């Protein structure tokens, strides 16, 4: 399947970032808005309490599953938001590094946020995304 996503870089902006500054999609496309992927197992339990990296791995596995159910893959994503329940930058970086492992060269525009709390008991990481299929 060919992705309809074109990542945009601008040499007037720093290249010392791990994401494209914009993404463009030419019509017609099918758009997919994904709810925030959470670190829940198949029984609804939060995995790896206290472990940012392991929760990020579960989040990304769940995101891949949701994309697959919609007929899409990680390379169809045009934008993500990564939420980390922490005020420590090191925790945000830990979650971001796992996210980047999964995204690979498809470094879409993304926002990384430290937040006070997330919705599930002991939840530390969440990733929401928008994807398109050409």
């Amino acid at each position: 399947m060919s992705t309809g996503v074109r990542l945009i870089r601008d040499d007037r902006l720093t290249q010392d970032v791990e994401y494209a500054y914009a993404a463009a999609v030419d019509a017609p496309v099918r758009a997919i808005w994904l709810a925030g992927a959470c670190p829940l197992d198949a029984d609804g339990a939060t995995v790896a309490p206290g472990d940012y990296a392991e929760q990020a791995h579960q989040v990304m596995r769940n995101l891949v599953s949701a994309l697959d159910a919609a007929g899409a893959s990680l390379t169809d994503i045009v934008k993500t938001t990564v939420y980390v329940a922490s005020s420590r930058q090191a925790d945000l970086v830990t979650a971001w590094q796992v996210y980047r492992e999964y995204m690979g060269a498809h470094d879409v525009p993304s926002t990384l946020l430290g937040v006070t709390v997330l919705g599930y008991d002991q939840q530390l990481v969440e990733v929401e995304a928008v994807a398109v299929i050409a």
Side-chain angles (χ1 to χ4, degrees):
M1 172 177 9
S2 173
T3 181
V5 180
R6 185 170 35 93
L7 300 179
I8 299 170
R9 290 162 175 73
D10 187 327
D11 60 8
R12 296 172 293 177
L13 301 170
T14 183
Q15 299 304 299
D16 193 30
V17 296
E18 295 181 334
Y19 51 85
Y21 283 100
V25 180
D26 297 321
V29 297
R30 183 171 142 244
I32 305 162
W33 285 266
L34 294 111
C38 298
L40 305 177
D41 64 17
D43 295 323
T46 302
V47 303
D51 189 328
Y52 289 91
E54 285 306 311
Q55 284 201 10
H57 279 290
Q58 184 68 40
V59 162
M60 294 306 293
R61 287 190 295 266
N62 290 348
L63 182 64
V64 167
S65 293
L67 284 162
D68 184 60
S73 68
L74 290 173
T75 57
D76 296 312
I77 291 175
V78 294
K79 166 76 172 89
T80 62
T81 305
V82 179
Y83 301 94
V84 182
S86 179
S87 61
R88 296 183 54 233
Q89 189 177 33
D91 297 333
L92 277 70
V93 169
T94 296
W96 179 258
Q97 288 172 335
V98 172
Y99 163 86
R100 291 295 309 129
E101 284 177 37
Y102 285 82
M103 296 303 290
H106 191 64
D107 56 348
V108 298
S110 186
T111 301
L112 173 63
L113 298 169
V115 299
T116 303
V117 65
L118 291 166
Y120 291 99
D121 289 339
Q122 302 183 57
Q123 180 184 358
L124 301 172
V125 181
E126 186 166 329
V127 176
E128 68 178 12
V130 176
V132 296
I133 299 173

